[in-house]
């Protein structure tokens, strides 16, 4: 599903199932001492382009009312290669979902907010009409109610943009934070239900190395690197809809292990 996962150990992005109607879903666990745990981009980046309308939908739940950034429409490239970094951003803060537009020059404009109950599932829908000029727009729906709308904005940066889910923020670096995401989908129309109302385009993970699971079963890959005096171990776990598989490689240097994997 996610092209890259940015989660330092002992945190991580994993697939969970609590045995209820949600089935499998993603858990982003940010450990204390780190600012982020996020998964970003999709397997078919050609769907993300300038001059189009994109509808994203997902169910979301956070452990607390202060998970900070839970979604970014993240700009590609390093900071000196883009003008906006994150044109559209969502935060869970003070038990509210807050939506912002960030214009070139780091000029933040609040687009709206609504109450957010932690430890409860919420339906989130986001429309972005992409434009590298001023023809873009964005709107956000929370639990069936539109809470944010902006038109005449720039929503496509110099090298393009991609979605990013998780939990991130310098103000919560000293504490752990958890964000659960269920059934993210991408389409070109909006309905009343995250699961059923989108003309769904599956998000499939494109692994950077050969993978033991078929692409339609693979959800996300996590890698954990540990070392001791005797050497180092790279542990790779592929999480799929039918379970997971973990492989470990032993070596003397992280570069050798990465090449071997």
């Amino acid at each position: 599903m996610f092209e890259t996962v940015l989660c330092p150990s002992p945190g991580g992005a994993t697939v969970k199932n609590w045995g209820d109607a949600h089935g499998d879903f993603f858990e982003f666990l940010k450990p204390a001492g780190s600012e982020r745990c996020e998964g970003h981009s999709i397997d078919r980046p050609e769907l993300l382009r300038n001059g189009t309308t994109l509808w994203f939908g997902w169910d979301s739940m956070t452990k607390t009312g202060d998970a900070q950034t839970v979604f970014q429409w993240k700009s590609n490239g390093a900071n000196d290669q883009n003008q906006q970094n994150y044109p559209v951003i969502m935060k869970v803060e003070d038990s509210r979902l807050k939506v912002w537009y960030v214009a070139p020059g780091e000029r933040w404009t609040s687009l709206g907010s609504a109450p957010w109950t932690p430890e409860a599932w919420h339906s989130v829908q986001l429309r972005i009409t992409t434009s590298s000029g001023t023809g873009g727009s964005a709107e956000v729906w929370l639990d069936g109610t539109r809470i944010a709308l902006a038109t005449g904005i720039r929503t496509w940066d110099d090298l393009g943009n991609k979605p990013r889910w998780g939990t991130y923020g310098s103000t919560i670096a000293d504490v752990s934070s958890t964000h659960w995401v269920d059934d993210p989908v991408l389409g070109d129309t909006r309905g009343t239900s995250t699961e059923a109302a989108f003309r769904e385009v599956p998000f499939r993970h494109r692994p950077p190395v050969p993978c033991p699971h078929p692409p339609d079963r693979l959800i996300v890959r996590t890698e954990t690197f540990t070392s001791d005096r005797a050497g180092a171990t790279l542990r790779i776990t592929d999480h799929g809809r039918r379970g997971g598989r973990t492989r470990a490689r032993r070596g003397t240097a992280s570069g050798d292990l990465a090449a071997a994997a």
Side-chain angles (χ1 to χ4, degrees), residues 41-57:
S41 199
I42 61 176
D43 183 53
R44 298 180 59 191
E46 70 274 9
L47 298 174
L48 310 176
R49 59 187 185 274
N50 193 18
T52 191
T53 294
L54 305 168
W55 277 97
F56 296 95

Side-chain angles (χ1 to χ4, degrees), residues 190-215:
R190 177 196 172 266
T192 58
S193 165
T194 297
E195 290 188 359
F198 284 79
R199 272 192 5 192
E200 183 175 344
V201 177
F203 287 3
R204 292 190 295 267
H205 177 71
R206 179 174 54 207
V209 295
C211 171
H213 294 305

Side-chain angles (χ1 to χ4, degrees), residues 5 8 25 39-40 50 68 74 79 85 91 96 109 116 118 123 156 159 173 180 221 223 235 256:
V5 174
F25 56 88
H40 71 84
N50 193 18
Q68 287 298 307
K74 180 69 174 176
N79 289 342
N85 198 5
K91 292 188 175 188
R96 297 186 69 85
T109 300
W116 179 274
S123 172
W156 191 256
L159 298 180
W180 296 280
R221 163 168 292 182
E223 298 181 0
R235 188 174 302 276
D256 296 338

Side-chain angles (χ1 to χ4, degrees), residues 1 16 52 57 79 81 91-92 102 120 160 162 170 177 217 224:
M1 149 132 194
K16 299 290 185 178
T52 191
N79 289 342
Q81 296 176 303
K91 292 188 175 188
V92 171
V102 185
K162 57 183 174 282
S170 59
S177 179
R217 289 171 51 194
T224 304

Side-chain angles (χ1 to χ4, degrees), residues 43-91:
D43 183 53
R44 298 180 59 191
E46 70 274 9
L47 298 174
L48 310 176
R49 59 187 185 274
N50 193 18
T52 191
T53 294
L54 305 168
W55 277 97
F56 296 95
W58 65 94
D59 283 351
S60 180
M61 178 166 60
T62 59
K63 181 70 173 178
T64 71
D66 190 26
Q68 287 298 307
T69 300
V70 292
F71 177 87
Q72 301 183 62
W73 182 235
K74 180 69 174 176
S75 298
N76 293 321
N79 289 342
D80 60 351
Q81 296 176 303
N82 56 60
Q83 300 184 49
Q84 290 173 274
N85 198 5
Y86 30 63
V88 178
I89 192 168
M90 299 185 203
K91 292 188 175 188

Side-chain angles (χ1 to χ4, degrees), residues 67-243:
Q68 287 298 307
T69 300
V70 292
F71 177 87
Q72 301 183 62
W73 182 235
K74 180 69 174 176
S75 298
N76 293 321
N79 289 342
D80 60 351
Q81 296 176 303
N82 56 60
Q83 300 184 49
Q84 290 173 274
N85 198 5
Y86 30 63
V88 178
I89 192 168
M90 299 185 203
K91 292 188 175 188
V92 171
E93 187 176 62
D94 302 324
S95 292
R96 297 186 69 85
L97 179 64
K98 302 179 179 180
V99 185
W100 301 84
Y101 168 63
V102 185
E106 199 73 13
R107 293 178 288 119
W108 288 58
T109 300
S110 174
L111 302 185
S113 69
W116 179 274
T117 303
E119 296 191 317
W121 286 107
H122 297 274
S123 172
V124 182
Q125 296 170 337
L126 165 67
R127 177 186 62 81
I128 294 181
T129 298
T130 55
S131 172
S132 56
T134 58
S137 60
E139 62 180 296
V140 174
W141 295 68
L142 176 63
D143 296 328
T145 300
R146 189 169 67 185
I147 66 169
L149 174 66
T151 60
I153 58 176
R154 185 178 189 266
T155 54
W156 191 256
D157 217 334
D158 296 339
L159 298 180
N161 293 80
K162 57 183 174 282
R164 181 181 286 190
W165 291 267
T167 174
Y168 162 64
S170 59
T171 61
I172 58 170
D174 294 336
V175 298
S176 64
S177 179
T178 307
H179 179 198
W180 296 280
V181 176
D182 187 27
D183 289 332
V185 292
L186 169 62
D188 55 13
T189 58
R190 177 196 172 266
T192 58
S193 165
T194 297
E195 290 188 359
F198 284 79
R199 272 192 5 192
E200 183 175 344
V201 177
F203 287 3
R204 292 190 295 267
H205 177 71
R206 179 174 54 207
V209 295
C211 171
H213 294 305
D216 62 338
R217 289 171 51 194
L218 181 64
I219 299 296
V220 65
R221 163 168 292 182
T222 57
E223 298 181 0
T224 304
F225 176 75
T226 58
S227 62
D228 52 37
R229 292 184 178 180
T233 300
L234 178 66
R235 188 174 302 276
I236 302 172
T237 302
D238 296 320
H239 305 275
R241 293 188 182 275
R242 300 182 182 177

